[in-house]
Amino acid sequence: MDSEYIRGSLYKQIYRNEINGYIVALFKIKETNTNYEDNIINITGVLPSLSEKKEYILYGNMVNHNKYGLQFAVSSFEIVMPTKKEELVTFLSSDLFPIGEKTAKKIVDIYQEDTINKILEDKNCLSVIPRLNDKKIEKIYNVLKDYQNTSNIVLELTKLGFEMKESLSFLNKYESKILDTVKTNVYDLIDTDEMPFTKIDEIAINMGINEDDERRLLALIIYVMKSLCFNNGDTYLTLEEIAFNLSNYINITPERLDYLIIKLIRNNKLVVEDKRYYLKKFYEAEKYITDRICFLNDIENSGTVSVEKYLDNEKFNNICYDDIQKKAIDYGVNNNITIITGGPGTGKTTIIKAIVKILTEAYHLRDNDIALLAPTGRAAKKMMETTGRSASTIHKYLGWNKELNIFDVDEYSPNNEKYIIVDEVSMIDTLLMEALLKGIRREAKLILVGDYYQLPSVSEGQVLKDLIDSDILPVIRLKEIYRQSEDSYILNLAYDIKEKNISEALFLKKDDYLFINSDNDNALSIVKEVVKKAINKGLNERELQVLAPMYKGINGIDALNSTLQELFNPKSDQRKEITYKEFIFRVGDKVLQLVNDPDNNVYNGDIGYIEDIIISKEKKIVNQININFDGNIVEYTPEKYINFRHGYAISIHKAQGSEFDTVIMPIVPSFKRMLYNKLVYTGVTRAKKSLIVVGDPNSLIYGINNDYVDNRKTTLKDFIINKYN
């Protein structure tokens, strides 16, 4: 338990999340072992409903928040049961109980310091008090029992192996029923997604549940299916896959597996169709996307705008559009749904800008009639810079609630924009696309833009690919490259990779491209020398980005970051630094955000720079790291350091939606299991001005020729085709 505490009562509740119990409140301090001198303090944490009439001991840490000053971050609590005679009289005569001070004093005079225990042991002991009727006795007993239960439930859960935060969260969600839920079937808790199966399983085994208990096997099947779908990007599985992976945990007969699958179907957890085994949420998501997309495709187009009269005007963007680009703009302006796909340099961004401008002028649209969206903060910022209009991440647009992992904007309260333009659609997974379609007007016109050949989403599905491959929807394919000078080779290289056109040119030096031959053992030292030369030429960490496919290993992202930090931001007496696990963070460090944090307007894949490290001289106040994300300062206390890591080297997946002036990309034999065509293509297309590949020719050729990523099992394409057949 934390050594710091504050004792007192609730003064005022400012905010409370009713589902997970996270609160912000003002707390009136009666006693504390901190150096805090005021009698009111701001508290934050996961707690049950606090009463102004009850006394609590809160355990935790003092936190110095830049905006709100000193706060007490609560990690655990106790409800104070009074023990001294005068305290007992005051307590029993408070508004919580139906008696006054005189009656309270009579009770305490009889039972002394043991008053509460005596009442809880036998409420009828109060019948000796004159004029105390059965109704009042019942009320006194129930209040004391409620007092006792809250503390006992949390204590019981922590004894079983739940952490305090988990115990409090489940108490808020299930209230007094949580112990019954845990004892009846602790595996029911996996439905909340608040605890991993492995942790629940460990608690269950410790509670004496057998490995082949039906409750465990049902939960294990769901866990195996979730893991497989996420790891492979699939939205459905085969029975053979499920059985094989289940055998890593336990051996069960095919007959018993069939029985368990039927039970999961009846329990509304699974859907089986055409020998495809779906977790229900993926089946419903693909069906919903199909219905919404086909609805837009089927309703009559209302647009009659002649885009030619805008595009033929020399003043319009000062750009000469070719026929296919004009067609893309025409589709985008006049169709209910349009998909525009093309590689780098084909004019996707220019087309978005033209569509927005024509729609605005033709229909006299206001800013809130068009939503510009992207999956990442950097991609949204790029749209904003290109169009001159506000753009947002999809998560922010839909009001993502991080604590509950739900969207506030849904089919019951959708946003009202008439036109939705989404860039970098290849990054959007099945569940996010479902959420987006639920969060917009049913008849809103949809323009989806992305690169078919880029990496698919990190999570389940391949939405852009499936929509295009259905051959049902209006798709414009951009092929002509415009964004390149005569001396540029990078974009030609990208298209050669896409077509698997391997030639000697792949290894020859160009003005904007260099391949440096290397093996596993010397790749890191070569990258180091290349970066040193770049720094000597005046490049900084904002202009140069190292990309790699893996975190671990001698050439992995972690090792690269350690080396690059010493080049770009070496140890210095003038720079504050702090150690977290195996990482050393310094003021000035380039860092990468790893999770979405809508409360602070920072998202997975955003790159920032450490602006300040506040190292507390007092043990009672925790340290803090402040990171600047393009002018947005986000504060991190130690429990949130896990949300970012160094960003001198990042994964190719995390680089999607971003571009960098200079990219250095190691491609070595130790990366072989992660190398495939779309990954190499995506890495290459992140470079705007210069690309340096450090690696082994055979590994690069292997990666270009490896197409395994195209084997995701999804049914969105089939559902769309079947809708019309």
Side-chain angles (χ1 to χ4, degrees):
M1 188 164 285
D2 296 272
S3 57
E4 291 186 81
Y5 75 87
I6 54 176
R7 177 173 176 163
S9 56
L10 177 70
Y11 180 71
K12 182 183 179 184
Q13 184 170 289
I14 298 168
Y15 166 79
R16 176 175 173 78
N17 185 315
E18 290 299 336
I19 296 181
N20 70 355
Y22 180 82
I23 73 164
V24 178
L26 295 175
F27 192 80
K28 194 172 185 179
I29 299 175
K30 184 177 177 182
E31 176 190 318
T32 180
N33 67 346
T34 71
N35 291 334
Y36 192 76
E37 295 179 354
D38 292 344
N39 64 342
I40 302 287
I41 190 168
N42 210 343
I43 64 167
T44 61
V46 176
L47 288 163
S49 289
L50 298 182
S51 167
E52 295 172 8
K53 298 172 183 177
K54 296 181 182 179
E55 191 171 317
Y56 305 88
I57 298 177
L58 308 181
Y59 299 93
N61 293 103
M62 297 296 294
V63 176
N64 194 0
H65 193 287
N66 267 11
K67 188 173 180 182
Y68 302 109
L70 279 175
Q71 297 181 333
F72 194 78
V74 183
S75 57
S76 60
F77 82 106
E78 288 178 23
I79 300 176
V80 178
M81 284 286 202
T83 54
K84 295 178 182 176
K85 286 174 69 176
E86 59 271 21
E87 287 178 347
L88 285 163
V89 171
T90 303
F91 178 56
L92 289 171
S93 59
S94 71
D95 293 346
L96 288 167
F97 299 93
I99 57 175
E101 189 176 340
K102 283 184 181 179
T103 306
K105 193 171 185 306
K106 286 176 184 175
I107 297 171
V108 175
D109 282 343
I110 295 174
Y111 298 114
Q112 303 292 308
E113 280 86 354
D114 205 28
T115 294
I116 290 172
N117 287 335
K118 290 289 185 187
I119 298 170
L120 286 169
E121 284 171 11
D122 180 13
K123 62 186 174 186
N124 293 321
C125 73
L126 294 174
S127 59
V128 300
I129 307 298
R131 292 187 297 279
L132 198 57
N133 59 38
D134 289 346
K135 189 176 179 182
K136 288 183 178 180
I137 289 172
E138 191 68 27
K139 171 75 172 172
I140 293 167
Y141 173 75
N142 286 336
V143 169
L144 291 175
K145 193 177 178 185
D146 176 57
Y147 242 85
Q148 186 187 52
N149 277 355
T150 304
S151 295
N152 286 352
I153 289 169
V154 172
L155 186 63
E156 188 74 23
L157 290 173
T158 52
K159 281 181 181 175
L160 288 172
F162 293 90
E163 292 177 11
M164 179 60 73
K165 189 174 181 182
E166 294 162 347
S167 301
L168 292 169
S169 183
F170 286 131
L171 176 62
N172 279 291
K173 188 165 287 187
Y174 292 90
E175 297 179 331
S176 59
K177 296 173 187 171
I178 179 59
L179 283 180
D180 288 337
T181 301
V182 168
K183 287 170 183 175
T184 304
N185 186 5
V186 66
Y187 290 105
D188 281 346
L189 299 181
I190 66 169
D191 292 338
T192 67
D193 285 328
E194 286 186 39
M195 279 180 74
F197 169 83
T198 48
K199 177 78 179 284
I200 294 173
D201 195 39
E202 184 183 328
I203 290 169
I205 300 298
N206 289 338
M207 287 172 65
I209 293 178
N210 293 328
E211 282 196 347
D212 65 347
D213 188 290
E214 184 175 298
R215 294 168 295 177
R216 180 176 187 265
L217 295 178
L218 292 169
L220 193 53
I221 292 169
I222 296 295
Y223 169 66
V224 164
M225 290 183 70
K226 280 182 179 178
S227 301
L228 281 172
C229 286
F230 180 77
N231 292 336
N232 301 333
D234 297 334
T235 57
Y236 75 87
L237 301 165
T238 64
L239 183 60
E240 291 73 24
E241 282 178 290
I242 297 168
F244 177 78
N245 284 275
L246 198 60
S247 68
N248 293 327
Y249 300 90
I250 194 164
N251 289 318
I252 59 173
T253 64
E255 292 76 20
R256 192 170 192 200
L257 179 56
D258 287 342
Y259 160 77
L260 292 167
I261 293 285
I262 291 168
K263 191 146 191 177
L264 286 168
I265 293 168
R266 287 176 178 166
N267 291 345
N268 247 357
K269 300 287 181 68
L270 298 188
V271 174
V272 179
E273 193 174 89
D274 296 330
K275 295 185 178 179
R276 295 165 172 159
Y277 290 71
Y278 301 84
L279 290 166
K280 191 179 182 190
K281 63 180 179 180
F282 294 127
Y283 179 83
E284 290 185 339
E286 288 192 327
K287 283 291 188 183
Y288 186 85
I289 295 167
T290 299
D291 289 343
R292 285 295 303 274
I293 292 293
C294 292
F295 168 77
L296 286 175
N297 193 46
D298 290 343
I299 59 175
E300 188 177 345
N301 292 338
S302 57
T304 54
V305 176
S306 170
V307 300
E308 288 285 349
K309 72 174 185 179
Y310 292 94
L311 301 182
D312 289 343
N313 185 339
E314 289 182 9
K315 294 179 182 177
F316 191 86
N317 288 346
N318 294 315
I319 293 170
C320 182
Y321 300 91
D322 69 15
D323 289 343
I324 194 70
Q325 289 176 320
K326 287 179 180 179
K327 188 176 180 182
I329 295 166
D330 179 51
Y331 273 30
V333 169
N334 291 307
N335 283 3
N336 296 311
I337 180 167
T338 303
I339 299 171
I340 300 168
T341 183
T346 54
K348 297 190 298 294
T349 310
T350 305
I351 288 166
I352 291 174
K353 185 176 180 181
I355 291 170
V356 170
K357 194 166 183 180
I358 293 172
L359 284 173
T360 304
E361 291 186 17
Y363 293 113
H364 308 292
L365 298 181
R366 298 165 297 175
D367 285 349
N368 60 0
D369 286 328
I370 303 178
L372 301 181
L373 306 175
T376 68
R378 291 177 71 83
K381 187 183 177 191
K382 185 179 160 190
M383 286 182 87
M384 194 155 45
E385 290 168 349
T386 305
T387 61
R389 297 176 70 105
S390 176
S392 166
T393 64
I394 297 169
H395 279 80
K396 185 177 181 181
Y397 176 73
L398 296 177
W400 186 60
N401 186 317
K402 182 176 67 174
E403 297 288 340
L404 307 180
N405 193 25
I406 60 172
F407 293 102
D408 294 333
V409 177
D410 56 22
E411 66 266 50
Y412 306 110
S413 55
N415 285 321
N416 208 35
E417 285 83 0
K418 298 174 182 175
Y419 295 87
I420 312 295
I421 304 176
V422 192
D423 200 5
E424 299 289 352
V425 177
S426 64
M427 299 174 68
I428 298 178
D429 61 75
T430 299
L431 296 181
L432 184 58
M433 178 56 84
E434 178 195 31
L436 174 59
L437 292 173
K438 284 182 175 180
I440 62 176
R441 286 166 49 163
R442 187 162 178 79
E443 69 281 5
K445 295 179 186 291
L446 195 60
I447 299 152
L448 304 175
V449 183
D451 187 345
Y452 178 92
Y453 291 97
Q454 244 181 236
L455 286 169
S457 56
V458 173
S459 294
E460 300 86 353
Q462 47 186 8
V463 173
L464 180 66
K465 183 178 188 299
D466 280 351
L467 293 178
I468 292 172
D469 286 350
S470 71
D471 278 337
I472 299 288
L473 307 169
V475 176
I476 300 296
R477 292 174 172 84
L478 307 171
K479 295 179 180 176
E480 194 72 31
I481 304 173
Y482 293 93
R483 197 191 70 212
Q484 77 177 102
S485 66
E486 289 182 11
D487 299 328
S488 173
Y489 174 69
I490 295 171
L491 294 182
N492 282 328
L493 171 62
Y495 283 87
D496 283 345
I497 290 169
K498 185 178 77 175
E499 301 297 332
K500 301 190 187 67
N501 181 16
I502 297 167
S503 69
E504 191 179 314
L506 195 61
F507 307 106
L508 298 178
K509 186 179 185 302
K510 310 291 190 303
D511 287 345
D512 60 348
Y513 172 75
L514 177 64
F515 180 90
I516 302 175
N517 207 320
S518 165
D519 58 21
N520 278 325
D521 295 333
N522 61 10
L524 185 61
S525 60
I526 291 175
V527 170
K528 185 176 179 180
E529 289 307 311
V530 170
V531 172
K532 274 186 184 176
K533 288 180 181 177
I535 292 171
N536 290 336
K537 288 180 181 178
L539 266 69
N540 59 38
E541 69 276 8
R542 292 174 186 267
E543 300 162 305
L544 186 150
Q545 186 63 58
V546 177
L547 302 179
M550 293 171 62
Y551 279 93
K552 301 304 176 186
I554 59 171
N555 300 304
I557 292 165
D558 291 341
L560 286 163
N561 269 318
S562 181
T563 298
L564 296 170
Q565 182 190 35
E566 293 308 313
L567 293 178
F568 284 113
N569 195 26
K571 186 177 181 65
S572 166
D573 293 337
Q574 279 72 51
R575 290 191 194 95
K576 286 186 281 186
E577 65 177 46
I578 195 168
T579 301
Y580 170 71
K581 295 185 177 177
E582 69 270 31
F583 305 112
I584 297 171
F585 294 112
R586 295 190 185 112
V587 171
D589 269 343
K590 181 180 187 177
V591 292
L592 174 76
Q593 177 75 8
L594 300 175
V595 297
N596 290 323
D597 183 0
D599 294 341
N600 288 302
N601 196 27
V602 59
Y603 293 88
N604 183 2
D606 285 354
I607 288 176
Y609 296 84
I610 295 179
E611 187 162 277
D612 193 14
I613 295 176
I614 301 169
I615 300 173
S616 175
K617 293 177 182 175
E618 299 179 43
K619 287 185 179 179
K620 296 182 186 297
I621 301 175
V622 298
N623 298 324
Q624 184 174 301
I625 296 176
N626 295 343
I627 301 175
N628 188 334
F629 293 93
D630 291 325
N632 175 30
I633 310 296
V634 181
E635 299 160 351
Y636 296 80
T637 45
E639 73 275 7
K640 293 182 180 175
Y641 293 172
I642 196 171
N643 291 349
F644 64 87
R645 69 196 313 158
H646 291 106
Y648 301 105
I650 65 176
S651 72
I652 295 170
H653 276 94
K654 293 287 187 187
Q656 279 187 270
S658 302
E659 288 182 327
F660 311 95
D661 285 350
T662 297
V663 167
I664 299 172
M665 196 162 62
I667 301 286
V668 290
S670 60
F671 292 160
K672 189 171 181 179
R673 67 184 181 87
M674 289 291 292
L675 295 176
Y676 50 91
N677 185 278
K678 286 191 175 182
L679 182 118
V680 178
Y681 172 84
T682 301
V684 166
T685 54
R686 300 310 92 203
K688 285 200 292 185
K689 296 179 181 177
S690 177
L691 171 67
I692 300 164
V693 176
V694 176
D696 165 52
N698 290 328
S699 297
L700 180 57
I701 292 168
Y702 171 84
I704 292 170
N705 283 326
N706 183 11
D707 267 337
Y708 96 93
V709 77
D710 290 334
N711 296 330
R712 288 191 172 193
K713 294 194 297 299
T714 62
T715 39
L716 179 59
K717 179 185 81 170
D718 294 340
F719 286 166
I720 293 171
I721 292 169
N722 291 340
K723 190 90 171 173
Y724 290 94
N725 289 341

